[in-house]
Amino acid sequence: MVGSGFLLDFLDSKCTSYGIKSYVFLLALSSHVQALKVPCKSKNFSSKYQHCGINPAGVHDLDCFGKHPTSYRCVWKPGNSASENTYTLIITQPSSPSRIRHCKVYTSQTNITEGILLYEKYNMTAEVFENSASTNCTKSVFRGSPMSLFRCGPPHNASFSRHSGKLDVSGNWPNEDIKDVQYYSVRYKALGSLSWSKPLMQSKNGKKCTVENLNSSLVYSMQIQCVTNDRCPQCPWSETYSVPAELTTQPVMVNMNDTDIAKTKGRRLISLTWKFPAKELHDSYHVIIGKASGEAPRQRMITTEPEIRLVLSYSEYHLNISAVNNASTSPAVSQTIPQREDTPSTGAEKLNVTVDNNTSFTIHWKEDLIKNYVCYSVEWMERGHKAGSMSFFEDEHNHRTLTSLPEPLEPYKRYSITLHTRPDKDTCNMKKVNNSESTYGRTHFYSIEGSPLSAPTNLSFDNVSLNSAELQWLSIPEDDIRGFLLGYIIYCTEYHHGGATTERNITMDPMSNSYELGDLKDGTAYGVKISGFTEAGVGVRSTPIFFTTKYQELSKLIGVITIFAVIGIVLIFGSPVIKRAKVILWPSIPNPGKSNAMQKIEEPCELELLGSINHLEMEEWDTNSLKIVEKQEVIPASPLPSMLPLLHASDDEEDSTEMTCNWIQGDTGDSTEEIPSDITGKIIPDINRIDPQSSPFTFPCDYTTIEMFQQGIPQSMPARTSFSQDTESDPEDTEWTVVKSELDYMSQFSTSPILDGKEISRIL
């Protein structure tokens, strides 16, 4: 076993094969290749490997070549079945059919053997055996002349890069060939095509070749070979490489969430998801993230899923996401992760800045962070500009003076400054971006303050009354403040008759945008200006605006007019509204006496009603209404010559309607007639009762008109019965039935005369 490298070990041995002296040259290139010193006896080899045969699924494509007799190599392709194979390579050079001049044996676990020594004038035979000790042993054979084997081999690997319809090809040759290969050629074809491209594409040097006018959406097959020259008389084609389609579309951002991390201060969890339209074309995604300040490094992360989670500080970051395969990279989608404003603290609570000059300032922090941190980073930024940054080491004090700033500080400009802590102690520079620092706090400062250049805008008045008015305005633009705004000053001028004026000033806090002016005089003109002020002084006053408070007499007049207007509206529109509300809320109860059904009945009729009447007593009749308060079962007809239709009224009723023979309203006078002697109010004892539910006179509701009542009479019953009917008529000829439906019909009672309970008017 010999170490790695091109070390040729010549071991002289006597190989007895037919009494001929033979030499075995052994070379070991790596720990995976072994050269063994063995006797070269053809009989022994023939018997040992005679069970190995040629099989397309086994070891195949054995090829031997080289540049000079002392440096040949043999390569082959392994079989498909075994994952870890053992190979035995035998090289022989016979000087005659009966004599072997040269014999060499190698065992290896790789598919290449290099540094083979051959005699130029003798043909050679190479045999490689795969898993020779197994029953599944396979072999491959190569024969050739050493003089014809001089060539430069194909590149042992190649890289491809597609962009804009072009393909850049780079081949990497072995060290012994790299000096001799000056140019190389490329041929290609679309996947599935039978013919290769013509003419061949040739590189301009030995490192790079560019193929143009390719279809970006197609997959290509590619082969590479060197261009022949004196040192490379032969150049075989390389194996076929598959070049995937070019990625021309960029990923699409779907969502970005910025959430807090439990029990962690100064850090946030950023969750990003995206999608890529051509899912089958890419292998992975490259995510490149860096701080917006430009501080190194820019970290590259690789993920196979269209999502990533990052733990970042509260700084601003820039992010690029691209889809990648082994030949191209898609256009990147850019995403800015904004600076979070709700930092742990702002102002002078935790941080304070003292400006020394325009290239130096000192930052102070309140808490004693030295116990836990020694590495810090500071970022300062003017709004709308790129941030500056500087990292430092501090283990003694709670302050740090930063000098030699990249750019000088500008006067009257507002800067935000942020302090970060870093956990690494070996270096204060970031090793990576993700999960590398925490935000301690942020505040603002000016290198030099000045007074505001402009005044509040959109000054206006609202709700002007007798003695007050509301003043409103918009804040001063930040670029014009030129310092920390401490408040506003309102200048209110009162104009008196005769030209005299009085001015008063009112100071407001910087967060206010309105103020109610009070203690004003009615009917007086006022002028108002406003300005802001900083520590450097008071700024420019605004253009004055004027208003006049209302007159007291005018206010009274407006009140009187308002009262009359309300009264007029009520008089004009109130009556219809009230009537409509009355109709909806309190509807009128209809008068049955005025119904259409009652008006239609004009002719006299006779309707004999039969029933079991316990008490027939008509106390009072009302000619405008009819009330049926009791339901009686069907009773058989009496032997009377004729029957009057009578309705039984309950004893406790106070008013009843007066009935006539014609079912029409009777006279309202006092004229009455005696009841015929054959009709009494006595109880008829021989009454046969039937089921009231089977009676044809049962009505479905409480309100039943006379017309409905007549329709309920069976057709076989006479509609009219003459009062002069013979009393001797056969009672069996006509069957009389009466049903008194219990209809609780409430109605208005008329003022008709009240009859004596013992009397009843004659029904005509």
Side-chain angles (χ1 to χ4, degrees), residues 69-80:
T70 60
S71 180
Y72 287 90
R73 76 163 63 105
C74 291
V75 296
W76 57 88
K77 293 182 180 179
N80 300 329

Side-chain angles (χ1 to χ4, degrees), residues 375-395:
C375 286
Y376 304 88
S377 173
V378 172
E379 289 181 330
W380 64 95
M381 178 182 64
E382 180 187 351
R383 191 180 65 172
H385 293 72
K386 182 179 178 180
S389 64
M390 188 175 292
S391 58
F392 59 90
F393 179 90
E394 180 59 58
D395 61 352

Side-chain angles (χ1 to χ4, degrees), residues 383 452-457 474-482 488:
R383 191 180 65 172
L453 290 177
S454 63
T457 58
L474 296 181
S475 302
I476 303 173
E478 183 175 333
D479 293 338
D480 294 342
I481 296 178
R482 305 201 306 170
Y488 298 100

Side-chain angles (χ1 to χ4, degrees), residues 301-368:
M301 293 167 283
I302 300 176
T303 176
T304 57
E305 299 297 328
E307 60 182 2
I308 196 170
R309 306 178 77 185
L310 304 169
V311 177
L312 304 175
S313 67
Y314 291 170
S315 293
E316 181 179 354
Y317 294 86
H318 291 161
L319 190 79
N320 292 330
I321 303 174
S322 302
V324 179
N325 58 28
N326 62 0
S328 64
T329 301
S330 74
V333 58
S334 299
Q335 178 70 37
T336 297
I337 301 175
Q339 173 180 281
R340 181 186 274 196
E341 297 299 335
D342 55 338
T343 54
S345 69
T346 58
E349 295 180 3
K350 286 190 173 183
L351 295 179
N352 189 24
V353 177
T354 302
V355 178
D356 302 322
N357 51 61
N358 62 348
T359 59
S360 175
F361 62 83
T362 302
I363 182 170
H364 307 260
W365 54 90
K366 295 294 184 181
E367 297 180 7
D368 188 4

Side-chain angles (χ1 to χ4, degrees), residues 698-716:
T698 303
F699 298 97
C701 63
D702 292 342
Y703 182 42
T704 305
T705 64
I706 299 301
E707 186 176 11
M708 294 171 61
F709 184 80
Q710 288 181 347
Q711 292 176 357
I713 300 175
Q715 298 297 326
S716 61

